[in-house]
Amino acid sequence: MSSSFDAQTSSERSRHLRTLAALGTHLWPAGRADLRVRIVIAAAFMLAAKGVNVYTPFLYKAAVDQLSGAAATLAVPAFVIFAYGAGRLLTQALGELRDFTFARSAQHAQRTAALSAFKHLHGLSLNFHLSRQTGGLSRVIDRGVKAIQYVLGFMVFNIAPTIIEIGLVTGILWMNFGWKYAVIVSGTIVAYIAFTLAITDWRMEFRRRMNESDSRAANRAIDSLLNYETVKYFGNEAHEYRRFDQALAGYEQAAVKSQTTLSLLNIGQGAIIGAGLVAVMLLAAHGVVAGERSIGDFVLVNAYLVQLYLPLNFLGFVYREIKQGLVDMDKMFELLEVEAEVQDAPDARPLQASAGELVFDNVSFAYNADREILKGVSFRVAPGKTTAIVGPSGAGKSTISRLLYRFYDPGSGSIRIDGQDLRTVAQDSLRRNIGIVPQDTVLFNDSIGYNIEYGRPGAPAAEIENAARLAKIHDFISALPQGYETPVGERGLKLSGGEKQRVAIARSILKDPRIMLFDEATSALDSHTEKEIQASLREVARGRTTLVIAHRLSTIVDADEILVLKNGAVAERGAHRELLALNGEYAAMWNKQREAAEAQARLEEAMAAL
């Protein structure tokens, strides 16, 4: 058990050291001499502040010695008293200058660390994001960035200055009063720190239980209130009260233990400090009685001890915050260690898509080794032509679009655009040459104009409006009170399905890609809206190489070639009429959808007649 704990502790310590090393690259960035100079100046201010702070008690001692003399007058120690006050003021001023100077370096480290994590997340493969919760990733970055501020603040402005001051005071006591004073002070501090860290580690378990119980109680309360009607339907108010009270009881028990251990921590700290103070003051008092020390020496020793113990009072809190901060930073920097499954080759070149010929050559692919999705799929889309892919759910249609965008690499075979294997070209250049109108268009929580402009950020307003006209949505936007500045809401929920699709079409038009991909772009729309969108899609596809993944066969009857996927392989291929003549898979799907459409039409007629 002990060896397991030691291994875990060693692993945690190693992880913390890697995190601090990674943070150091952001705090001491290459090519930013100005930020490095700021850190050096801030360190100089910190050392100066501690030097003044350590010397100030000597002024206090001088004033006491002069006042305790036989001919003491207010005029005699006045200069010393003013110097003492100036020393206190200078200590604070130097501390503020340290904070001011260091602030830009600390904020820069936070910004660049957050940006690095954000860029890295965008660089990771789709598979990583499909297996993670986006909200969870956002919280990891958010907590990690805040932790940088905590850790830097506490380590630079609390821990480091306190360590420096302890060293200076111990040295001064040794040189001016002897080794006994230094041993008592240093021994007291070591005992204080060891006791505080041990109890704090113990107390963190109770804090964790409190947080878990608090979250559980909040979740149960919110869940119960959101389902108010269901609670009433089944008369389960008492049941909800019991569940909520159980969570509160868990919090109560953990909170009592946390408070009890906090009291134990405070009493223990007070006992250690008190023992150290008594020992040193007795030693100093003995020196005064023996005539070896002055009253000022007695006061000086006491002032130093109080000066040291004040920052140590916050040690438990500081230690807990730093430890939690390091854990949060670990999680953020661990994201940077995750490697993308799909990476550019070292010699990757920009894609040169002049004609736009698209070729899938004997492509096989599996998300998991035990289940192959695509099995030797081959087809060619000639420049400017349209190929449609149909088939039942799970046949591999959407996988083809993901492979085309190179979210994944094929297990075998190759995908080429104008003769260039996608694995040999830079991913960003590949995606710049492909436009997509997906089935579920998700818009940014911004304006309509911004969402169209997203196809080519920085495009002139005239080109954005022209793209909207081609997508048959300009008139709708112009009729809105805010026009192109109209907010679309989160995920575009303020727009209808058809309006969102038109925004997606306008976005792709503005991008002006060589290859277009329609991934079941109208399957979720009603028949009337679908016909309007189809007209816009035909306009977009004109002159471009187009790949259509379709659910409704009526939308792809004009395609130059139709591929029927079944169990990951191409079961049939040909034009619409050719496939109907085969009377195979495609014909069966066509007849089924036609019957369903006729039944729906009859139902609508009957409803209209009522």
Side-chain angles (χ1 to χ4, degrees):
M1 183 72 175
S2 176
S3 60
S4 175
F5 176 78
D6 291 341
Q8 182 179 353
T9 303
S10 176
S11 174
E12 185 180 71
R13 189 180 299 114
S14 175
R15 190 165 62 248
H16 291 341
L17 290 174
R18 290 201 309 272
T19 295
L20 290 174
L23 176 60
T25 62
H26 295 283
L27 192 61
W28 192 263
R32 290 298 303 270
D34 58 321
L35 295 177
R36 294 184 174 186
V37 168
R38 280 180 171 273
I39 293 174
V40 173
I41 294 174
F45 280 137
M46 180 183 69
L47 291 173
K50 284 303 159 188
V52 174
N53 197 42
V54 168
Y55 179 73
T56 301
F58 276 101
L59 298 172
Y60 189 30
K61 161 188 156 50
V64 170
D65 283 340
Q66 291 182 34
L67 285 171
S68 62
T73 64
L74 182 60
V76 174
F79 174 77
V80 178
I81 292 173
F82 278 115
Y84 175 78
R88 290 297 181 195
L89 177 61
L90 183 58
T91 298
Q92 182 178 358
L94 289 170
E96 294 299 329
L97 287 171
R98 173 204 62 190
D99 296 355
F100 167 76
T101 307
F102 186 71
R104 185 173 295 278
S105 296
Q107 291 298 322
H108 180 269
Q110 285 183 256
R111 179 170 66 87
T112 55
L115 180 61
S116 295
F118 186 70
K119 289 170 65 176
H120 188 72
L121 286 176
H122 272 290
L124 293 177
S125 304
L126 177 64
N127 195 45
F128 172 86
H129 290 277
L130 291 177
S131 61
R132 298 293 187 98
Q133 289 186 324
T134 305
L137 291 175
S138 175
R139 291 294 297 153
V140 166
I141 295 178
D142 184 47
R143 284 195 295 261
V145 171
K146 289 180 179 177
I148 291 175
Q149 183 176 358
Y150 288 139
V151 170
L152 285 178
F154 286 128
M155 291 186 72
V156 174
F157 301 150
N158 191 291
I159 298 296
T162 301
I163 292 173
I164 292 171
E165 189 167 4
I166 289 172
L168 290 174
V169 170
T170 303
I172 288 172
L173 291 175
W174 191 315
M175 288 186 296
N176 290 274
F177 294 90
W179 64 270
K180 293 181 181 179
Y181 289 85
V183 168
I184 292 174
V185 170
S186 58
T188 301
I189 291 172
V190 169
Y192 182 94
I193 292 174
F195 176 78
T196 300
L197 298 188
I199 298 296
T200 300
D201 277 337
W202 178 41
R203 292 189 66 242
M204 286 181 74
E205 173 63 21
F206 301 119
R207 292 292 305 176
R208 183 186 64 79
R209 292 182 192 174
M210 284 175 61
N211 292 337
E212 289 178 353
S213 298
D214 184 51
S215 298
R216 191 179 303 114
N219 289 336
R220 287 182 180 178
I222 293 172
D223 194 37
S224 179
L225 293 174
L226 288 175
N227 292 281
Y228 171 84
E229 293 182 56
T230 304
V231 173
K232 293 297 182 183
Y233 291 152
F234 291 92
N236 277 341
E237 292 89 345
H239 172 69
E240 293 297 321
Y241 303 156
R242 284 193 300 272
R243 293 180 73 242
F244 185 55
D245 187 51
Q246 286 172 359
L248 291 177
Y251 180 87
E252 177 186 10
Q253 293 174 1
V256 169
K257 289 181 179 179
S258 178
Q259 183 58 50
T260 303
T261 54
L262 177 61
S263 298
L264 175 63
L265 174 64
N266 291 335
I267 292 172
Q269 288 176 330
I272 294 172
I273 290 175
L277 274 170
V278 169
V280 171
M281 291 178 72
L282 282 174
L283 197 59
H286 178 74
V288 172
V289 172
E292 299 171 357
R293 303 290 173 196
S294 67
I295 298 296
D297 289 329
F298 180 84
V299 172
L300 177 65
V301 171
N302 182 69
Y304 270 136
L305 288 174
V306 172
Q307 192 167 293
L308 282 179
Y309 293 149
L310 281 177
L312 288 176
N313 279 336
F314 299 99
L315 181 63
F317 170 76
V318 169
Y319 173 67
R320 186 173 67 247
E321 290 297 318
I322 288 180
K323 191 166 185 178
Q324 183 59 54
L326 285 172
V327 170
D328 290 339
M329 286 168 57
D330 286 345
K331 292 178 180 178
M332 185 177 78
F333 282 108
E334 279 173 7
L335 289 176
L336 299 175
E337 297 176 2
V338 178
E339 293 188 1
E341 295 178 15
V342 178
Q343 299 185 22
D344 285 343
D347 58 346
R349 302 179 304 278
L351 175 67
Q352 302 298 324
S354 52
E357 179 191 49
L358 173 62
V359 175
F360 271 62
D361 186 4
N362 198 31
V363 171
S364 295
F365 176 77
Y367 293 105
N368 299 307
D370 57 348
R371 184 186 173 212
E372 196 170 29
I373 303 298
L374 296 180
K375 306 169 184 175
V377 172
S378 296
F379 63 87
R380 172 181 178 270
V381 187
K385 300 297 183 181
T386 298
T387 293
I389 301 176
V390 301
S393 297
K397 303 187 299 297
S398 293
T399 298
I400 287 178
S401 69
R402 290 175 173 179
L403 290 173
L404 177 58
Y405 263 91
R406 209 183 165 211
F407 293 148
Y408 300 94
D409 281 332
S412 61
S414 64
I415 305 171
R416 300 188 296 275
I417 293 178
D418 286 342
Q420 301 157 85
D421 192 314
L422 300 193
R423 286 171 291 203
T424 67
V425 302
Q427 295 178 64
D428 61 341
S429 67
L430 165 66
R431 291 162 190 159
R432 281 199 302 270
N433 282 280
I434 305 174
I436 185 170
V437 180
Q439 175 183 0
D440 181 20
T441 298
V442 178
L443 303 182
F444 292 94
N445 190 4
D446 209 299
S447 66
I448 295 179
Y450 172 83
N451 277 281
I452 295 175
E453 184 189 354
Y454 200 78
R456 182 156 47 90
E463 294 185 21
I464 294 173
E465 291 184 11
N466 184 57
R469 285 190 178 91
L470 292 173
K472 304 298 189 293
I473 196 175
H474 174 73
D475 293 341
F476 164 76
I477 298 173
S478 299
L480 296 171
Q482 295 178 261
Y484 281 83
E485 296 302 315
T486 302
V488 302
E490 192 163 352
R491 299 176 65 85
L493 293 178
K494 291 185 178 181
L495 301 181
S496 69
E499 290 159 358
K500 287 199 296 183
Q501 290 296 76
R502 290 185 190 279
V503 169
I505 293 169
R507 188 160 59 189
S508 290
I509 292 173
L510 186 65
K511 185 178 183 181
D512 193 25
R514 192 68 201 87
I515 296 172
M516 281 300 306
L517 172 62
F518 302 139
D519 189 355
E520 302 199 40
T522 62
S523 63
L525 304 177
D526 60 78
S527 57
H528 175 71
T529 305
E530 180 187 40
K531 290 178 182 178
E532 294 181 341
I533 297 294
Q534 280 299 318
S536 298
L537 293 180
R538 282 193 291 272
E539 184 73 22
V540 175
R542 184 174 293 118
R544 291 184 172 89
T545 303
T546 306
L547 187 64
V548 182
I549 296 172
H551 172 71
R552 292 179 180 170
L553 304 186
S554 59
T555 63
I556 46 96
V557 293
D558 296 328
D560 297 294
E561 185 178 42
I562 300 171
L563 306 178
V564 181
L565 282 188
K566 184 177 182 181
N567 297 325
V570 178
E572 297 174 356
R573 69 174 69 210
H576 173 68
R577 293 185 180 277
E578 296 171 348
L579 292 174
L580 287 180
L582 288 177
N583 199 29
E585 296 288 338
Y586 182 84
M589 294 169 60
W590 175 265
N591 291 330
K592 186 176 181 180
Q593 289 191 14
R594 185 180 62 180
E595 291 171 2
E598 291 174 351
Q600 179 65 27
R602 288 194 296 270
L603 178 61
E604 291 176 357
E605 290 177 2
M607 293 294 291
L610 292 177

